[in-house]
Amino acid sequence: GSQYDVTDFATSTGITNKGPGQVATLAFGLELFALDDKTALNRISIDLGAKAEAHFEGREYTEMWEVFEYAGDTRGGGPLILDRDVIAPDQQAYPHPGISNIENYLETSARAAIRAELGAHARFGLTVDLSWRTDHAITFADAGVDLPTCGTGSSPCETDSNPLVTPNTSEVNPLYVPGLDLVGRRYHSENNFGLVIGVEAQALF
C-alpha cells in the first residue's frame, strides 16, 4: 500500500498529518528570438523562466528518508521502530516508512537558456539552472492531540482534565519518534542552493 497510509495503526486520533503536504506553484517563462531566418533555417533564441513553490507541512520523502527507513527496520531492532498500537502495554513493532513530517518551506528556481539552430542539421544549447530552498525542519511530527474532557459532548474524549498528551492513550501520535521529532533533536535541511549548467549538441541526418 501507500507509504502515506495510516490504516495499519490501531489508532490514528493523535496523527496530525496523514499525507503529503499541499504545494502552491507560481511559474512564468519568456522566449526571445535574436535571429529567426526561416529561409536559411537559422535560429537563435533566449529562454528565461522562474518558479516559486510553497510547500506546506505534511509527510514527505526527504534527503534522509533512507537513513530513517534503515534505522526503523524491525528486522534489526533499530531506534526508529514505530509502535503500531500505542494503547497496548507492549510495543507492537512497525517499520518506519522513511517519510517524515516536514515544516513549511519555500522553493524558488530560475532558468536561462540560449539555443541555436544552424541549418536543418545542427542544434546547440546552453542552460543554467539556479535553485534555492529556505531552511526547514524535516522531522516535525507532533507528540499527539490533547482530546477534550468527556462530558463536554465531544467525541472522542479523555476522562482526565489536563492539557497534556497522555501516554498509552489514543491521544498519542504513533508516527512521533522522540529521537527525531522532539524539539532540540529535530533534523533540519539548510543551505539549499543548487547550480546546474548544461550543454547540449545535436546533429540531425
Side-chain angles (χ1 to χ4, degrees):
S2 170
Q3 293 282 57
Y4 301 100
D5 187 7
V6 297
T7 58
D8 285 343
F9 292 95
T11 175
S12 59
T13 302
I15 300 178
T16 53
N17 286 301
K18 300 182 180 181
Q22 294 182 331
V23 178
T25 304
L26 175 64
F28 68 90
L30 176 66
E31 186 175 15
L32 303 173
F33 288 91
L35 174 65
D36 189 6
D37 186 343
K38 294 181 173 59
T39 302
L41 299 179
N42 292 328
R43 176 181 294 178
I44 299 176
S45 65
I46 301 174
D47 188 4
L48 303 174
K51 182 172 68 172
E53 284 188 346
H55 295 256
F56 297 96
E57 184 177 339
R59 291 180 59 75
E60 296 288 354
Y61 286 99
T62 68
E63 48 269 58
M64 290 290 289
W65 78 268
E66 290 177 300
V67 177
F68 297 157
E69 184 177 55
Y70 180 78
D73 192 337
T74 55
R75 296 170 298 179
L80 302 186
I81 295 174
L82 304 178
D83 189 355
R84 195 187 68 82
D85 188 351
V86 295
I87 299 177
D90 298 321
Q91 183 188 45
Q92 311 296 311
Y94 191 87
H96 195 288
I99 59 176
S100 55
N101 287 38
I102 61 167
E103 189 179 21
N104 301 331
Y105 71 93
L106 177 66
E107 180 177 9
T108 57
S109 61
R111 177 184 179 89
I114 299 177
R115 297 184 176 88
E117 297 182 17
L118 305 179
H121 304 291
R123 296 179 181 178
F124 304 92
L126 172 66
T127 61
V128 178
D129 290 279
L130 299 173
S131 63
W132 174 74
R133 294 180 181 178
T134 57
D135 297 347
H136 59 282
I138 60 173
T139 54
F140 200 63
D142 296 319
V145 176
D146 180 51
L147 297 176
T149 306
C150 295
T152 59
S154 298
S155 180
C157 61
E158 65 172 339
T159 55
D160 296 329
S161 178
N162 62 64
L164 305 175
V165 175
T166 308
N168 301 117
T169 68
S170 60
E171 293 184 333
V172 176
N173 179 3
L175 301 176
Y176 174 80
V177 181
L180 296 180
D181 299 305
L182 186 66
V183 176
R185 296 183 178 179
R186 291 174 175 170
Y187 283 71
H188 289 252
S189 179
E190 301 178 352
N191 301 320
N192 288 294
F193 177 78
L195 171 62
V196 178
I197 299 176
V199 178
E200 60 184 44
Q202 288 182 319
L204 307 176
F205 298 98

